[in-house]
């Protein structure tokens, strides 16, 4: 790997002279609304839906497949970006979900894609019109396309009862009252409820086989293990189980008979490097189409020759890029195909599997496509942490850079336990690279996909070995001569925001500055304020950061909370927060802003009153990144696009907080916890 990397640097060095030729690309190319995105074929393939701007927000549009996109009709006029949408089995409705200004209280809406209106958009109906409730969709029926199986936490905020809902009328019917900590409901191909999962207060999860009203325990995992049902076999007698229970480190695919409890291994990573990735079954024949595994990149193992032939045909048309079947008709005769890669603006094509006809549909970001020669390659690398653990990561060097003595932004992903960074196009990475920064994305221990030991290795290591995994990545770049040791900034969202604060507090000499986006600063208040419906995950959370009910846990949490080491923070810090964040509440930002302010430290604060855990609205996103690039330019000298649209400048001014006016009143329990040493 090192040899390959040195060759890469050598090749980049040849193009040093081109650095002056790379223009500063407008931030709107990365963070403004795409022209068209999220395309889906109707079940019969006669229509295509997609999202497009309507009154400044991405909304759902529809058109006939053979019509130009200019003929499309808007279906929704949401004032907030949607959290996803799909067609019902019969194509009669499009269903979508959204929350209220980032509070994550999701409601389910239905709209008729064929409705005719003379002005504006057709009526959308909220089929779960309940306040402060998070609706979950467990099954969309194929047998009765007017039926959904959903979870609602209206009776008990901590737990979801199972309901059926008629889409046409909104009629709700309670199927199962959840008084025993049920965390999931699983239906077979015949849409029969077969398996329920329960998680106890220790984080142990049990699968229960349902026969009539009888629930029989059939499988159990500890809080440090994982298992889920991927799907059912052809005759519904067994289910595909993905698990890493017991002696297994990398998760594998099994078939389990719920009546006999017999388990048969089907497959695991042929290279024994990563967890089982994905299983895709034909919805009509119920046979396997492919399995997949994701290491540096994703690899597919085809079980169906026709699908494999189509995939290879598409690959031949787009060398050097990745292709994916983004949407299909019910019979898999027609597809929307996505095409993209690390340094490519994505595209969407219509593909007829029978005739092999391939028709271009749209490019989400046409203007970015025109300048994609200035996008930077993302290279998988690895390095050793403080204890010798190998840490996988991605490194992106600015186009035209010599690859030597470059200012660096360490971009830390959220989670932290389970999520990971992936190879491919990343708007934030490309934006930072265009501004002249090398970008390091470490998949530190606790990241998902690399096995149970690696993932659990982050337990009780917040601010410790997990932080070392990031710090040693910086050391690696310095040792390789890539990073300018005086120009390294740490940045991230959620856990990445925590790692930013921890980096500045616990390794103050490593970084020149930090950008904390919705990151927790105080682990006591973080755990005190998690949403009620996260109750099943409480033991999981305690396993990560410590148990606040024990003296040992309190000390561990105190020591790992950047708020209580604020004296050590001596570098500039930019904090970004959503006022409605239900996961990492505004208090996390307010507390550390006040602590830094009162000690005369440099801190800037951006607060959006209409956002939650991360910014969704384009104008807010654009304003945030305008402030970020200005901040980075000031501390490590990258390039900076000073101009911005009037609405963005106005929004940035509205979101910029006067830190002298920030207040915070801790709860009584917080005062006691914060005092614990």
């Amino acid at each position: 790997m090192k040899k390959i990397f040195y060759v890469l640097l050598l090749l980049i060095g040849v193009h040093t002279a081109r650095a002056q030729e790379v223009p500063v690309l407008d931030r709107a190319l990365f963070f403004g609304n795409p022209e068209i995105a999220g395309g889906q074929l109707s079940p019969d393939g006669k229509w295509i839906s997609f999202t497009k701007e309507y009154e400044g927000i991405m909304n759902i549009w529809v058109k006939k497949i053979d019509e130009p996109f200019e003929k499309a009709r808007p279906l929704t006029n949401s004032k907030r970006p949607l959290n996803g949408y799909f067609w019902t089995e019969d194509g009669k409705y499009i269903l979508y979900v959204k929350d209220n200004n980032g509070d994550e209280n999701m409601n389910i809406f239905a709209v008729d894609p064929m409705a005719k209106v003379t002005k504006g958009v057709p009526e959308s109906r909220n089929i779960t019109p309940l306040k402060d409730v998070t609706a979950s969709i467990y099954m969309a029926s194929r047998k009765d396309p007017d039926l959904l199986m959903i979870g609602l936490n209206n009776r008990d905020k901590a737990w979801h009862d199972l309901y059926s809902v008629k889409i046409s009328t909104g009629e709700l019917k309670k199927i199962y009252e959840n008084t025993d900590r049920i965390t999931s409901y699983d239906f077979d191909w015949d849409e029969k409820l077969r398996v329920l999962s329960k998680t106890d207060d220790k984080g142990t999860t049990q699968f229960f086989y349902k026969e009539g009203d009888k629930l029989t325990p059939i499988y159990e995992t500890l809080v440090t293990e994982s298992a889920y049902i991927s799907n059912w076999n052809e005759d519904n007698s067994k289910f595909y189980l993905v698990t890493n229970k017991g002696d297994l480190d990398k998760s594998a695919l099994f078939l389990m008979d719920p009546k006999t409890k017999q388990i048969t291994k089907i497959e695991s990573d042929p290279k024994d490097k990563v967890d089982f990735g994905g299983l895709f079954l034909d919805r009509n024949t119920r046979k396997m189409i492919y399995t997949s595994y994701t290491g540096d990149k994703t690899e597919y193992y085809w079980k169906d020759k026709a699908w494999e032939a189509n995939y290879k045909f598409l690959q031949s048309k787009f060398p050097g890029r990745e292709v994916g079947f983004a949407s299909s008709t019910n019979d898999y005769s027609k597809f929307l195909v996505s095409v993209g890669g690390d340094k490519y603006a994505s595209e969407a094509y219509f593909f007829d599997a029978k005739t092999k006809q391939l028709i271009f549909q749209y490019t989400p970001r046409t203007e970015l496509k025109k300048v994609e020669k200035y996008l930077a390659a993302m290279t998988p690398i690895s390095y050793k942490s403080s204890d010798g653990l190998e840490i996988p990561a991605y490194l992106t060097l600015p186009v035209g850079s010599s690859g030597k003595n470059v200012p660096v932004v360490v971009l830390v992903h959220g989670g932290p336990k389970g999520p990971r960074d992936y190879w491919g196009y990343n708007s934030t990475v490309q934006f930072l690279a265009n501004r002249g920064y090398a970008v390091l994305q470490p998949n530190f221990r606790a990241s998902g996909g690399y096995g149970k030991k690696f993932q659990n290795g982050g337990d009780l290591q917040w601010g410790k070995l997990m932080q070392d995994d990031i710090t040693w990545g910086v050391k690696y770049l310095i040792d390789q001569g890539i990073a300018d040791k005086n120009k390294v900034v740490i940045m991230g969202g959620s856990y990445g925001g925590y790692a930013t604060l921890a980096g500045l507090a616990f390794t103050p000499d490593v970084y020149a500055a930090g950008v904390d986006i919705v990151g927790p600063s105080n682990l006591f208040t973080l755990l005190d304020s998690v949403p009620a419906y996260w109750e099943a995950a409480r033991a999981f959370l305690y396993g990560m950061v410590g148990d606040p009910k024990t003296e040992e846990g309190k000390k561990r949490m105190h020591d790992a909370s950047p708020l209580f080491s604020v004296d050590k923070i001596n570098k500039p810090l930019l904090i970004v927060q959503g006022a409605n964040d239900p996961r990492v509440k505004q208090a996390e930002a307010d507390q550390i802003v006040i602590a830094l302010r009162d000690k005369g430290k440099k801190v800037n604060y951006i607060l959006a009153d209409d956002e939650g855990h991360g910014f969704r609205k384009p104008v807010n996103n654009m304003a945030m990144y305008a402030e970020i690039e200005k901040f980075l330019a000031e501390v490590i000298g990258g390039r900076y696009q000073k101009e911005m649209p009037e609405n963005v400048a106005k929004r940035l001014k509205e979101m910029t907080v006067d830190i002298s006016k920030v207040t915070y009143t801790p709860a009584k329990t917080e005062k006691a916890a914060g005092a614990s040493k």
Side-chain angles (χ1 to χ4, degrees):
M1 176 58 77
K2 286 185 178 179
K3 185 176 180 181
I4 295 171
F5 196 56
Y6 286 132
V7 171
L8 177 69
L9 293 181
L10 184 63
L11 289 172
I12 290 170
V14 173
H15 299 287
T16 304
R18 287 186 54 207
Q20 300 297 321
E21 302 168 17
V22 179
V24 174
L25 301 179
D26 194 305
R27 70 180 71 88
L29 296 180
F30 303 103
F31 306 116
N33 277 332
E35 294 169 40
I36 296 172
Q40 292 184 28
L41 294 178
S42 62
D44 60 8
K46 295 179 180 179
W47 299 81
I48 180 173
S49 58
F50 54 92
T51 58
K52 176 183 172 182
E53 188 175 281
Y54 186 85
E55 296 182 354
I57 298 294
M58 295 299 284
N59 274 279
I60 303 170
W61 296 61
V62 70
K63 74 175 189 72
K64 289 181 179 178
I65 192 68
D66 55 358
E67 285 182 327
F69 279 85
E70 291 75 24
K71 293 278 189 180
R73 297 178 284 109
L75 292 181
T76 62
N77 63 348
S78 173
K79 305 308 177 189
R80 178 164 180 80
L82 311 180
N83 290 76
Y85 81 92
F86 63 94
W87 291 77
T88 55
E89 180 74 15
D90 56 2
K92 191 173 181 180
Y93 296 103
I94 285 179
L95 303 178
Y96 63 94
V97 294
K98 67 172 182 173
D99 66 1
N100 181 41
N101 285 335
D103 64 5
E104 297 186 15
N105 289 319
M106 301 295 174
N107 280 177
I108 305 167
F109 296 79
V111 62
D112 178 358
M114 304 305 149
K116 298 290 191 291
V117 293
T118 55
K119 185 179 179 182
V121 300
E123 178 192 8
S124 281
R125 290 180 298 106
N126 185 348
I127 60 174
T128 57
L130 301 166
K131 191 175 180 182
D132 298 329
V133 165
T134 300
S136 299
I137 299 175
Y138 293 113
M139 186 196 72
S141 176
R142 294 180 64 190
K143 290 185 169 184
D144 178 3
D146 195 30
L147 185 70
L148 288 181
M149 289 294 182
I150 66 171
L152 294 175
N153 60 335
N154 54 324
R155 180 188 56 81
D156 183 338
K157 295 300 181 191
W159 306 101
H160 283 72
D161 296 331
L162 180 66
Y163 284 83
S164 66
V165 58
K166 284 184 71 70
I167 299 167
S168 57
T169 64
E171 179 189 352
L172 280 170
K173 180 181 177 183
K174 188 183 287 187
I175 305 297
Y176 191 95
E177 186 165 297
N178 183 5
T179 58
D180 40 7
R181 300 178 64 97
I182 301 295
T183 50
S184 71
Y185 304 89
D186 195 87
F187 298 81
D188 65 15
W189 288 107
D190 292 333
E191 303 181 356
K192 183 179 178 183
L193 179 59
R194 298 283 298 278
V195 179
L196 295 84
S197 299
K198 297 183 184 182
T199 302
D200 67 19
D201 58 4
K202 293 182 177 63
T204 299
T205 298
Q206 278 191 311
F207 287 2
F208 286 81
Y209 180 50
K210 187 176 188 297
E211 293 178 287
D213 292 331
K214 183 184 177 185
L215 295 179
T216 305
I218 58 172
Y219 196 74
E220 181 177 292
T221 54
L222 303 175
V223 70
T224 52
E225 301 169 331
S226 67
Y228 65 89
I229 296 173
S230 180
N231 216 318
W232 291 74
N233 69 344
E234 294 173 51
D235 63 5
N236 279 325
S237 63
K238 302 177 181 70
F239 57 76
Y240 289 104
L241 175 71
V242 179
T243 182
N244 62 9
K245 180 178 177 176
D247 294 335
L248 287 176
D249 180 45
K250 312 290 192 304
S251 65
L253 179 68
F254 297 83
L255 257 183
M256 181 170 188
D257 185 326
K259 292 184 178 180
T260 66
K261 304 182 188 178
Q262 182 180 350
I263 296 177
T264 306
K265 184 177 178 181
I266 303 297
E267 190 179 289
S268 59
D269 180 15
K271 299 177 181 177
D272 195 31
K273 289 185 176 180
V274 295
D275 289 323
F276 181 82
L279 169 67
F280 184 47
L281 302 182
D282 186 311
R283 51 181 268 141
N284 302 312
T285 67
R286 305 178 184 177
K287 294 181 182 293
M288 275 196 197
I289 292 176
Y290 68 73
T291 54
S292 66
Y293 299 85
T294 304
D296 292 339
K297 298 180 182 179
T298 299
E299 293 186 67
Y300 299 93
Y301 293 84
W302 296 94
K303 319 298 179 183
D304 183 290
K305 296 297 182 184
W307 277 77
E308 183 177 18
N310 284 331
Y311 180 74
K312 288 184 174 178
F313 169 79
L314 291 167
Q315 274 192 316
S316 71
K317 297 295 182 182
F318 305 103
R321 286 184 276 177
E322 292 194 331
V323 295
F325 297 102
S327 172
S328 74
T329 53
N330 281 349
D331 63 1
Y332 300 123
S333 64
K334 300 175 180 66
F335 295 87
L336 269 184
V337 174
S338 61
V339 180
D342 56 344
K343 55 181 181 177
Y344 299 97
S346 63
E347 298 172 315
Y349 289 81
F350 173 85
F351 175 60
D352 188 313
K354 294 178 181 177
T355 65
K356 299 296 186 285
Q357 184 182 32
L358 193 62
I359 304 171
F360 172 78
Q361 294 297 297
Y362 61 85
T363 298
R365 298 184 182 275
T366 306
E367 294 305 308
L368 183 64
K369 193 73 184 171
K370 294 176 183 176
V371 295
E372 71 178 5
K373 65 182 177 181
Y374 300 120
L375 298 181
M378 180 184 286
T379 305
I381 65 168
S382 65
Y383 56 86
K384 290 191 186 309
S385 188
S386 59
D387 60 351
L389 183 65
E390 197 77 16
I391 304 300
Y394 297 100
L395 178 65
T396 303
L397 295 171
V399 173
S401 161
S402 66
K404 293 290 184 182
N405 213 35
V406 185
V408 172
V409 175
V410 182
L411 190 61
V412 187
H413 71 71
K417 193 171 181 177
R420 54 157 290 182
D421 276 319
Y422 295 88
W423 183 89
Y425 175 81
N426 181 304
S427 57
T428 302
V429 169
Q430 293 297 338
F431 169 71
L432 293 170
N434 179 258
R435 289 343 189 216
Y437 308 115
V439 183
L440 177 69
Q441 297 170 274
N443 277 322
F444 47 85
R445 74 191 74 201
S447 300
Y450 300 101
K452 182 169 61 179
K453 184 178 178 182
F454 190 90
Q455 183 165 311
N456 292 335
D459 286 354
L460 305 180
Q461 294 300 322
W462 286 45
K464 295 182 178 180
L465 286 174
M466 285 173 74
Q467 199 68 31
D468 282 358
D469 297 346
I470 301 164
T471 308
W472 260 251
V474 176
K475 291 178 185 292
Y476 172 79
L477 294 186
I478 293 171
D479 290 344
Q480 298 296 315
I482 299 166
D484 180 337
K485 67 178 182 180
N486 298 314
K487 294 184 177 181
V488 180
V489 167
I490 185 168
M491 168 176 160
S494 195
Y495 176 82
Y498 164 83
T500 295
L501 298 176
L504 295 191
F506 305 143
T507 54
D509 297 331
V510 173
Y511 302 104
V515 180
D516 156 31
I517 303 169
V518 299
S521 63
N522 179 347
L523 298 185
F524 294 101
T525 49
L526 174 71
L527 292 188
D528 280 346
S529 61
V530 296
Y533 51 87
W534 284 27
E535 183 57 37
R538 189 167 293 278
F540 178 83
L541 295 172
Y542 288 179
M544 281 198 293
V545 302
D547 186 343
K549 298 191 298 295
T550 68
E551 289 306 313
E552 181 186 3
K554 287 179 184 177
K555 183 180 187 308
R556 188 181 293 276
M557 291 169 63
H558 181 278
D559 292 348
S561 295
L563 179 67
F564 305 125
S565 292
V566 77
D567 284 347
K568 300 173 188 173
I569 297 178
N570 55 29
K571 302 293 173 55
L573 178 61
L574 171 61
I575 292 179
V576 180
Q577 181 67 40
N580 304 313
D581 191 338
R583 306 185 190 199
V584 178
K585 292 189 177 292
Q586 182 182 331
E588 297 300 314
D590 289 347
Q591 288 176 84
I592 199 156
V593 165
I594 291 168
L596 289 165
R597 175 197 69 195
D598 291 352
K599 292 182 181 297
K601 311 272 186 171
K602 180 172 173 53
V603 58
N604 297 346
Y605 188 13
I606 299 294
L607 177 68
D609 60 359
D610 56 351
E611 294 285 9
H613 197 61
F615 287 8
R616 298 286 311 282
K617 292 187 175 179
V619 67
N620 293 340
N621 232 6
M622 295 262 285
M624 175 183 74
Y625 278 105
E627 184 65 15
I628 286 173
E629 67 170 311
K630 177 185 175 186
F631 177 79
L632 294 176
E634 289 172 351
V635 291
I636 55 173
R639 306 191 303 174
Y640 168 44
Q641 178 190 359
K642 293 183 175 61
E643 69 276 3
M644 65 186 83
E646 187 177 331
N647 67 323
V648 175
K650 178 175 180 288
R651 190 66 186 122
L652 178 56
K653 187 175 181 181
E654 292 169 349
M655 295 194 304
T656 301
V657 177
D658 179 351
I659 64 170
S660 69
K661 296 180 180 177
V662 179
T663 60
Y664 174 71
T665 304
K668 292 178 182 178
T669 54
E670 290 174 43
K671 293 177 182 176
S676 177
K677 299 286 183 180

